[in-house]
Amino acid sequence: MIKSLPTVLFFATWALLVGAVPMLVGLFLSGTFEPDAVRAAFPHLHISQALSPMWFAVTILVGLVPWAVGLWVLYQMQALFALYRTDRALTLDAAHLIRRIGTGLLVLAITHVVTYTLQTLVLTSANADGERVLSVSFGTPQIGFIMAAGLMVVIGRSMIEAAKAVDDMRGII
Amino acid sequence: MEIVVRLDVMLALRKMKARDLADQIGISEQNVSLLRTGKVKGIRFNTLACICEVLDCQPGDILEAVPIE
């Protein structure tokens, strides 16, 4: 069970990585990125009809940044699970990957907050003076995410020290 | 100064094979080989004690500090 878990996770992460592209294409084809769909995704915002399609595209592109970060984190995860599959859990490579995943999750949490702020700013940029919005959304889920990501970074750092110690021990008979 | 392992000399003096030493002290032949060639970062006190016991010698007979050339 313990041996097969990294294998299951390895293939699951690859499935997500491979599935992300058709999913994105599917979302594009289903009209999720159309201006009306974007308006529907921000029901609390008053978005001016004068906002050009280019700004909607900018909003979508900004919204794709967390996706890109998420995919990068998934890629690091598959590399970590690949090491675990081959019994190389306590190595410097694995430790660096854990720290990288933690950093990636931290960046992901930050980009979630920043992209939402930028999207509200872009979507209301064509509004009349006094109707433009700069909204920062930061709640318990973000705090929990940042705490978990910070914990992973700390664990990664500890693992690097542990892996160095193991490397040292390997040379002692 | 650097530490040079003189295990080969002691093994020759005791007319013992590396394989027999490995069997008696409970480490792999590969590790004894690494020790003989000095390709190790260090040696544990208990490994050293076992070697000394089997070869009936002192640590100084196995390890020697020599100036770095």
Side-chain angles (χ1 to χ4, degrees):
Chain A
M1 175 64 190
I2 293 167
K3 284 262 182 189
S4 64
L5 185 62
T7 304
V8 172
L9 291 169
F10 174 76
F11 286 112
T13 44
W14 264 113
L16 285 170
L17 277 169
V18 173
V21 178
M23 193 176 166
L24 207 59
V25 173
L27 285 172
F28 184 78
L29 292 176
S30 67
T32 309
F33 300 144
E34 294 293 318
D36 287 342
V38 174
R39 282 178 199 279
F42 293 86
H44 56 284
L45 282 182
H46 168 68
I47 303 167
S48 170
Q49 293 296 328
L51 188 71
S52 71
M54 189 197 77
W55 288 114
F56 280 105
V58 169
T59 306
I60 290 158
L61 283 176
V62 168
L64 289 177
V65 172
W67 266 69
V69 178
L71 288 177
W72 182 79
V73 170
L74 277 176
Y75 186 75
Q76 302 303 315
M77 281 179 172
Q78 67 76 29
L80 179 69
F81 297 139
L83 287 177
Y84 280 11
R85 283 178 73 201
T86 49
D87 290 328
R88 285 179 287 162
L90 206 54
T91 58
L92 263 178
D93 286 344
H96 281 296
L97 281 168
I98 291 171
R99 192 178 61 176
R100 226 174 283 161
I101 290 165
T103 309
L105 291 175
L106 206 59
V107 172
L108 193 60
I110 293 164
T111 50
H112 266 297
V113 176
V114 174
T115 51
Y116 183 79
T117 307
L118 284 174
Q119 283 175 320
T120 56
L121 186 68
V122 169
L123 287 172
T124 59
S125 60
N127 289 5
D129 287 350
E131 287 183 5
R132 288 173 196 143
V133 176
L134 182 66
S135 169
V136 180
S137 174
F138 195 80
T140 314
Q142 279 79 21
I143 293 169
F145 209 73
I146 286 170
M147 292 295 283
L151 184 68
M152 274 208 81
V153 172
V154 172
I155 290 171
R157 282 182 185 171
S158 308
M159 283 286 292
I160 288 169
E161 293 304 315
K164 279 179 183 170
V166 167
D167 263 358
D168 268 350
M169 290 297 286
R170 279 194 188 117
I172 297 172
I173 291 171
Chain B
M1 298 289 269
E2 66 176 336
I3 302 297
V4 175
V5 181
R6 303 286 188 209
L7 190 58
D8 270 343
V9 177
M10 280 312 295
L11 282 169
L13 285 171
R14 299 289 184 260
K15 295 183 174 58
M16 187 182 275
K17 288 177 181 171
R19 184 185 298 171
D20 297 332
L21 177 69
D23 286 343
Q24 289 189 51
I25 63 175
I27 64 171
S28 68
E29 209 179 324
Q30 188 192 2
N31 276 346
V32 171
S33 175
L34 288 171
L35 198 57
R36 283 168 64 191
T37 51
K39 290 176 182 170
V40 290
K41 284 182 186 170
I43 181 168
R44 290 191 183 89
F45 282 154
N46 61 344
T47 309
L48 188 59
C50 287
I51 293 171
C52 288
E53 191 182 336
V54 170
L55 296 177
D56 188 25
C57 64
Q58 291 297 310
D61 298 326
I62 297 165
L63 304 173
E64 189 181 345
V66 294
I68 299 170
E69 289 173 7

